[in-house]
Every structure is written in structure tokens, then in C-alpha cells.
């Protein structure tokens, strides 16, 4: 069939990056066709389900809380975290990633906050301290709190762009093609391969709610053409086969059992399709999975799991009951913890680890990832937020629901009872109560003074020097075995799939590059499918709050450049 020209630009993927690109294009008078394999209920894609954290540098929110941040400090942290090491030879894999990283940190320290505000995104006055790092000044991690939460969480970030897209559709500047699954890019040769459109299959209508897996029944075919195509199809975290295929040897063997932090439609299928059109894929062995996943008692998609966002006080034990070494501490170094759990020889056959904590720690420190797990912030309800987070006694409602109903949570009045309940959750009893008691008592002795040699206790006291942590995130140091702080709680933790950090290599205009490092005419890529910019803006490690921001920054670049070319 002959392809029908449908717009100035085709966007493949209706997630955050695609909607931001559409916003830039339609604001400049261009017409846009947005294709997505899911139905209209899924506008906003994976970003809708996120907590919505945004990385900002030297913001008014930071300054009001006494945080001294700077572009120089943030860039030092980013380089120490990214550890870019693929810079040799022709067209090195990290060449554009480094340029994107510098540009993004400058954006986060400059225009980003005002641009968000101008687009209707408001921030909470608090700032979180995520991914505190590997305990080295020049190493991985955030030296200061930089995690800014938007009112509305993920829906609050994607909402303005969804609204703009719908308004553009009503005005005839944008058309949605829901249930259109792209199988190939159309190309023509004319002094170099040029992308001219897309081809694929029309899927049967499916009225499933947002996030629920939909059918893949084909009811037709399509070919659509446009002078430019922007691919914003997301990552591969919902496709365990691809996760395992690209799992790097440096992280040991992938777990036999993974839980899933993204909907099933986050399947990575567009990566090979774009590569078949000549685009270069880089850094696919870099990925960002969490070690604090828990099974969802109320799942939406298959294997749906939730990440615990821990404060610094829970004790972390491996499957055999040994306390994890620094920097494998709650909230510090995600991939060091993953590597430790997957490369320690006698742990490779076990897919879980454990938090042991007190009720006092749970109430103060436990938060859950996901917009649906934070209804007070998602709904923008200030009174509810203050009541739930600061004024009321007990755990936040969603956290309490997991404690009451979650398959991975146990509570007990004594350590003997707790360990017995923990052993009941595994096929074989692997934990010895006296060995765990000895380690907890050794740690508890460290809180008798205002100083200590235990690095985790030191970290707790350091965190509480920041008013945001002291008031709302980090419990006062206390003994785990103090009955007054109880009951005792244990949480079985799983490896949760989430982000791919590599993908389509792009220049700073989000143009997809070929094997020779040249832009492919008519082809752009943005968001997670492009490693959030350049084929891997994060390098090996993320500083958190940088995923949605990467979608915004790269989608904005794609839309702006394409608007000037068509």
C-alpha cells in the first residue's frame, strides 16, 4: 500500500517524551500524528505511574531549607556517578552521552524550574535526599538533597502535556492513532537513508483500564508517512526476556525470579526496529533495577511490584542473614547493592534480601514508589499531605496496607518470632536467630553516644542535620531491639525491573545517529528509548529524579529541532 502523509511529524509513543515533543511541535504550528499500541486511557505512559521526582540544582526550595548546591557540585556528582568509560576509538558509545549529561545538568541548574512552572508543574516545598552514594566525595551519589516532588506526582507532570495534546487534537493540529503498533520504519535512499514514515498493524480495540495488559490481536495494517518520525517508545523493563539478554556480567547472573516495576507495554520492541533502519544502539548493558521491590497486594499489571523508598535506618540483611556492607545501605547506592547481591558466590542462588526495622522506623521512613501509592500528593491535597505525613500517628495509609496485606511483610513482638516468620516465607529456613541477634545488638550499642563507628549510624546522624530529613524522613536513632520502638518488622525484598540506561544514540538535537555518527534524515529519538538522551546520559548510575527530566529535556529537543526542519 502507498503510505498516506498524515502530518508534519509522526511520534511513536504517547508517553512523557512524546507528549513534550508534540507540545513543542504544535506550539510552533506543526501538525502531529501520535501513535501508540495502547488505548487512550494510557496517555502519559509509564511516567503516569511514577512518583514524579525531578532533579533540580540550587533551587529556591533547596535554599530555603539551607542546602548549598551549585552547578559545579552537581556536575562533579554526575561525573562520579556516570563513570563514563567508553570514550576511545571512532564514534565512542559515550561521546554524546557526556555532552547530553553536561547539557542536562546545566538545564537542571538553570531554565528547568521556570520551564516546569510555565507549563503548570508545581513543586512541594520539601526536597528529598535520594541515592546518597558510595561514601566517596568523587564517587557516585548526590552530595546534597536534590529530589523535588511535584504536586500530582507522575500525573502532575504528564497532565499539562496530555491537556495540551488533547486541545491540539480538538483544533485539528494533532491526531491520535491509538492501538497502532509500529513494526518498521519506512525509508528511502537518496544520497543516504531517509526515514519517511512507519508501517505496522492495527490492534483490536481494548477497553482495559490504564496499565492493565491489553490484547495483541491484529485487525488491520497501516502505512503512514511524514517528513520526520520521533521515536519515544520507552524502555524494556516490562520485557524480562530483553532484560536478561542485556544483563551485564558485572552484575552477576540475573535473578531466576524478577518482579516488574512497569506495565507490560514497556517492552523495548522499538529498539530493534529502529536499529533495522540504520540507527546505532549503544550501552544496552547499562540498566537501573531496584533491590527493594515488594509484591503488590493489589496488582495492576502482571508481576506488578512496588519499590520501597527507604530512609536510612532499616538494617539490610542478605538471604543468609548477614548484614550488607557499606555502601549497600538503604537509599545509598542502588547498583552496588544489586552487584553485591548477585555476585557474592553463596548468594547467587537466592533472589531476595531482607529489611529488619521497627514500627517507629516504618512510620517515619517508609515511602512507596508510584503515583497510586501516594494519593495525598497525587491529588494535590495539602491538608491531607500534612495530616498523613507530619501530623498523624502511625504509618501512611498505603504503607499500612502493605504491612497488613503484603505477602513480603511480617511483624512480631520478639526477634525469635520475627525470624521464625521470615523463615516461613522462604522454601527453606535460611536464617539463624542468634546470628541476626548478634549483629543487631552490635549495631544497637552504637546509638548510646552521639558519635559512632558504624557507618550506617553515622549516616543517620548526618541525615538528621538536614531539616527536611529530621522532620519528615529520618527517624531519631534508637535501638532496633527496644520494645518501645516495636513491634519488629521484616520485609522480604525482590529485584524489581525498571529502567534501561542505554539505547539509540542521538546528538543534542535528538537526531538518531547511524554507525558512522551521522544523523539519519527524518529520524529522532527521545526519552528512555534513547537512554534519556545521547544513548545513555546517566552512564552507569542515576542520581534519581533524572528520568522524567530526561524525557522532558530530550523530547523538548526533538520537537524543537524537528519543527525547524519540516
Amino acid at each position: 500500500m502507498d503510505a498516506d502523509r498524515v502530518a508534519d511529524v509522526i511520534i511513536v509513543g504517547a508517553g512523557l517524551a512524546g507528549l513534550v515533543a508534540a507540545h513543542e511541535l504544535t506550539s510552533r504550528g506543526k501538525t502531529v500524528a501520535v501513535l501508540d499500541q495502547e488505548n487512550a486511557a494510557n496517555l502519559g505512559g509509564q511516567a503516569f505511574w511514577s512518583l514524579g521526582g525531578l532533579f533540580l540544582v540550587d533551587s529556591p526550595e533547596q535554599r530555603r531549607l539551607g542546602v548549598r548546591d551549585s552547578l559545579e557540585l552537581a556536575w562533579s556528582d554526575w561525573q562520579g556517578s556516570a563513570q563514563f568509560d567508553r570514550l576511545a576509538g571512532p564514534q565512542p558509545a559515550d561521546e554524546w552521552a557526556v555532552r547530553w549529561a553536561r547539557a542536562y545538568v546545566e538545564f537542571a541548574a538553570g531554565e528547568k524550574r521556570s520551564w516546569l512552572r510555565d507549563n503548570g508543574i508545581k513543586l512541594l516545598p520539601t526536597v528529598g535526599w535520594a541515592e546518597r552514594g558510595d561514601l566517596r566525595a568523587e564517587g557516585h551519589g548526590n552530595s546534597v538533597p536534590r529530589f523535588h516532588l511535584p504536586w500530582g506526582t507522575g500525573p502532575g507532570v504528564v497532565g499539562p502535556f496530555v491537556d495540551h495534546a488533547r486541545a491540539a487534537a480538538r483544533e485539528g493540529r494533532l491526531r491520535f492513532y491509538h492501538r497502532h503498533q509500529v513494526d518498521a520504519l519506512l525509508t528511502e535512499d537518496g544520497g543516504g537513508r531517509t526515514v519517511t514514515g512507519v508501517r505496522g498493524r492495527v490492534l483490536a480495540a481494548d477497553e482495559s483500564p490504564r496499565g492493565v495488559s491489553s490484547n495483541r490481536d491484529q485487525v488491520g495494517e497501516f502505512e503512514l508517512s511524514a517528513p520526520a518520525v520521533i521515536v519515544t517508545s520507552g524502555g524494556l523493563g516490562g520485557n524480562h526476556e530483553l532484560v536478561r539478554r542485556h544483563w551485564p556480567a558485572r552484575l552477576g547472573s540475573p535473578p531466576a525470579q524478577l518482579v516488574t516495576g512497569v506495565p507490560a507495554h514497556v517492552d523495548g520492541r522499538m529498539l530493534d526496529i529502529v536499529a533495522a533502519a540504520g540507527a546505532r544502539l549503544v550501552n544496552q548493558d547499562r540498566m537501573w533495577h531496584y533491590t527493594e521491590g515488594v509484591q503488590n497486594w493489589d496488582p495492576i499489571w502482571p508481576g506488578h511490584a512496588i519499590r520501597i523508598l527507604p530512609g536510612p535506618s532499616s538494617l539490610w540483611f542478605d538471604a543468609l542473614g548477614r548484614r550488607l556492607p557499606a555502601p549497600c545501605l538503604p537509599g545509598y547506592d542502588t547498583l552496588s547493592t544489586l552487584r553485591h547481591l548477585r555476585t557474592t558466590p553463596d548468594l547467587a542462588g537466592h533472589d531476595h534480601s531482607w529489611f529488619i526495622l521497627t514500627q517507629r522506623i516504618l512510620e517515619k521512613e517508609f515511602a512507596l514508589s508510584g503515583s497510586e501509592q501516594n494519593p495525598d500528593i497525587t491529588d494535590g491535597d495539602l491538608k491531607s499531605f500534612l495530616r498523613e505525613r507530619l501530623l498523624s500517628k502511625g504509618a501512611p495509609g498505603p504503607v499500612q496496607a502493605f504491612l497488613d496485606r503484603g505477602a513480603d511483610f511480617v511483624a512480631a513482638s520478639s526477634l525469635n518470632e520475627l525470624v521464625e516468620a521470615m523463615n516461613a516465607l522462604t522454601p527453606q529456613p535460611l536464617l539463624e536467630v542468634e546470628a541476626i541477634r548478634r549483629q543487631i545488638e552490635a549495631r544497637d550499642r552504637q546509638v548510646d553516644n552521639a558519635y559512632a563507628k558504624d557507618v550506617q549510624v553515622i549516616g543517620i546522624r548526618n541525615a538528621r542535620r538536614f531539616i527536611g530529613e529530621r522532620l519528615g524522613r529520618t527517624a531519631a536513632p534508637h535501638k532496633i531491639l527496644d520494645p518501645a520502638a516495636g513491634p519488629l518488622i521484616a520485609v522480604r525484598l525482590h529485584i524489581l525491573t525498571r529502567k534501561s540506561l542505554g539505547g539509540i544514540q542521538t546528538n543534542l538535537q535528538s537526531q538518531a545517529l547511524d554507525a558512522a555518527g551521522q544523523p539519519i534524515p527524518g529520524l529522532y529519538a527521545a526519552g528512555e528509548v534513547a537512554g534519556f538522551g545521547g544513548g545513555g546520559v546517566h552512564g552507569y548510575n542515576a542520581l534519581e529524579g533524572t528520568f522524567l527530566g530526561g524525557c522532558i529535556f530530550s523530547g523538548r529537543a526533538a520537537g524543537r529541532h524537528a519543527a525547524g526542519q519540516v
Side-chain angles (χ1 to χ4, degrees):
M1 67 177 74
D2 293 328
D4 297 321
R5 173 165 172 163
V6 291
D8 295 318
V9 178
I10 292 170
I11 297 175
V12 182
L16 178 59
L19 293 174
V20 170
H23 173 272
E24 296 296 326
L25 287 157
T26 55
S27 296
R28 289 162 171 77
K30 305 302 179 181
T31 57
V32 177
V34 178
L35 282 64
D36 198 278
Q37 61 187 353
E38 299 305 316
N39 63 23
N42 286 277
L43 275 178
Q46 180 183 343
F48 177 93
W49 297 105
S50 73
L51 187 59
L54 296 164
F55 175 92
L56 292 170
V57 177
D58 192 26
S59 69
E61 289 77 17
Q62 288 174 297
R63 293 194 294 271
R64 281 195 293 267
L65 293 170
V67 176
R68 297 179 181 178
D69 201 4
S70 67
L71 172 62
E72 293 75 20
L73 181 61
W75 179 232
S76 174
D77 285 349
W78 196 289
Q79 292 178 94
S81 296
Q83 301 167 26
F84 294 119
D85 60 1
R86 296 171 180 174
L87 293 166
Q91 288 80 55
D94 280 339
E95 175 184 3
W96 286 100
V98 172
R99 299 186 197 185
W100 270 96
R102 178 66 189 189
Y104 181 71
V105 175
E106 290 176 351
F107 177 59
E111 182 189 2
K112 182 178 179 181
R113 185 179 181 277
S114 62
W115 189 87
L116 293 169
R117 185 182 63 247
D118 290 346
N119 282 283
I121 298 169
K122 299 179 181 180
L123 303 175
L124 272 71
T126 58
V127 182
W129 196 354
E131 203 65 14
R132 303 172 197 217
D134 64 7
L135 307 175
R136 297 180 300 128
E138 293 183 305
H140 166 57
N142 286 294
S143 297
V144 297
R146 297 190 177 107
F147 193 83
H148 296 65
L149 273 179
W151 280 113
T153 63
V157 176
V158 301
F161 303 105
V162 170
D163 292 344
H164 188 278
R166 287 174 172 161
R170 290 192 296 270
E171 296 164 3
R173 291 176 287 124
L174 183 148
R175 182 176 177 184
F176 289 111
Y177 289 79
H178 298 295
R179 303 296 290 159
H180 280 60
Q181 186 178 67
V182 173
D183 293 323
L185 301 182
L186 304 179
T187 61
E188 64 180 26
D189 292 322
R193 180 176 290 186
T194 299
V195 171
T196 60
V198 295
R199 180 177 68 246
R201 68 194 77 181
V202 180
L203 303 178
D206 193 311
E207 300 304 317
S208 298
R210 181 189 290 273
V212 175
S213 297
S214 61
N215 75 68
R216 289 296 180 262
D217 301 332
Q218 181 178 346
V219 296
E221 297 179 344
F222 69 89
E223 285 192 4
L224 303 173
S225 71
V229 174
I230 303 176
V231 177
T232 60
S233 54
L236 50 75
N239 186 334
H240 290 188
E241 179 183 353
L242 281 184
V243 169
R244 295 179 193 282
R245 182 194 307 175
H246 297 298
W247 190 277
R250 66 180 176 276
L251 295 180
S253 59
Q257 299 294 325
L258 292 162
V259 294
T260 311
V262 296
H265 62 73
V266 186
D267 55 18
R269 66 188 305 275
M270 283 301 299
L271 287 164
D272 288 341
I273 291 169
V274 174
R280 185 185 184 206
L281 305 183
V282 295
N283 300 320
Q284 289 188 275
D285 63 326
R286 294 178 182 168
M287 49 186 66
W288 191 253
H289 306 307
Y290 292 110
T291 49
E292 311 101 330
V294 291
Q295 299 169 85
N296 195 344
W297 64 269
D298 187 19
I300 296 171
W301 54 79
H304 184 189
I306 297 295
R307 183 202 174 198
I308 294 173
L309 304 173
S313 302
S314 298
L315 298 190
W316 206 333
F317 292 85
D318 66 30
L320 302 179
R322 299 169 303 205
R323 195 173 167 200
L324 269 57
C328 306
L329 306 171
Y332 276 74
D333 192 334
T334 293
L335 290 194
S336 283
T337 306
L338 179 59
R339 183 169 56 251
H340 175 81
L341 294 174
R342 299 310 308 161
T343 61
T344 301
D346 57 359
L347 294 179
H350 304 288
D351 295 341
H352 69 280
S353 59
W354 295 97
F355 278 164
I356 293 180
L357 60 149
T358 63
Q359 179 73 21
R360 190 179 296 173
I361 292 171
L362 179 94
E363 293 176 1
K364 185 87 167 187
E365 298 192 4
F366 264 37
L368 302 170
S369 66
S371 54
E372 81 284 9
Q373 300 298 329
N374 296 273
D376 51 342
I377 306 175
T378 300
D379 294 340
D381 187 340
L382 178 59
K383 290 183 179 179
S384 177
F385 170 76
L386 294 174
R387 182 174 61 251
E388 186 86 350
R389 310 282 170 154
L390 298 177
L391 301 178
S392 65
K393 295 182 179 180
V399 173
Q400 186 64 44
F402 270 85
L403 181 60
D404 294 339
R405 306 176 70 174
D408 297 308
F409 286 70
V410 294
S413 58
S414 72
L415 187 62
N416 283 39
E417 294 172 352
L418 186 77
V419 173
E420 182 178 1
M422 293 165 71
N423 277 330
L425 293 185
T426 57
Q428 296 155 340
L430 301 173
L431 306 175
E432 296 181 1
V433 64
E434 292 310 315
I436 291 178
R437 187 188 308 277
R438 182 173 63 250
Q439 295 172 84
I440 294 177
E441 288 177 342
R443 178 267 184 201
D444 281 357
R445 285 190 286 269
Q446 295 289 304
V447 301
D448 286 335
N449 296 286
Y451 42 85
K453 69 176 181 180
D454 184 283
V455 69
Q456 187 174 5
V457 174
I458 294 170
I460 294 167
R461 298 193 187 282
N462 183 49
R464 286 178 57 83
R465 293 174 66 86
F466 171 51
I467 188 171
E469 292 283 316
R470 186 169 66 253
L471 292 179
R473 194 72 173 104
T474 302
H478 62 274
K479 296 186 177 185
I480 300 295
L481 297 181
D482 180 359
L488 291 168
I489 297 165
V491 186
R492 181 178 54 177
L493 305 171
H494 309 267
I495 308 300
L496 176 145
T497 64
R498 185 61 66 86
K499 300 292 184 184
S500 42
L501 299 186
I504 302 164
Q505 192 172 42
T506 59
N507 62 18
L508 287 176
Q509 289 73 47
S510 288
Q511 293 175 288
L513 305 179
D514 62 19
Q518 297 302 308
I520 298 173
L523 182 60
Y524 297 79
E528 190 173 353
V529 76
F532 302 94
V537 67
H538 298 93
Y540 287 96
N541 291 285
L543 287 174
E544 291 290 14
T546 56
F547 299 126
L548 297 193
C551 290
I552 288 170
F553 192 53
S554 58
R556 191 178 82 148
R560 290 183 175 184
H561 191 267
Q565 301 297 307
V566 300

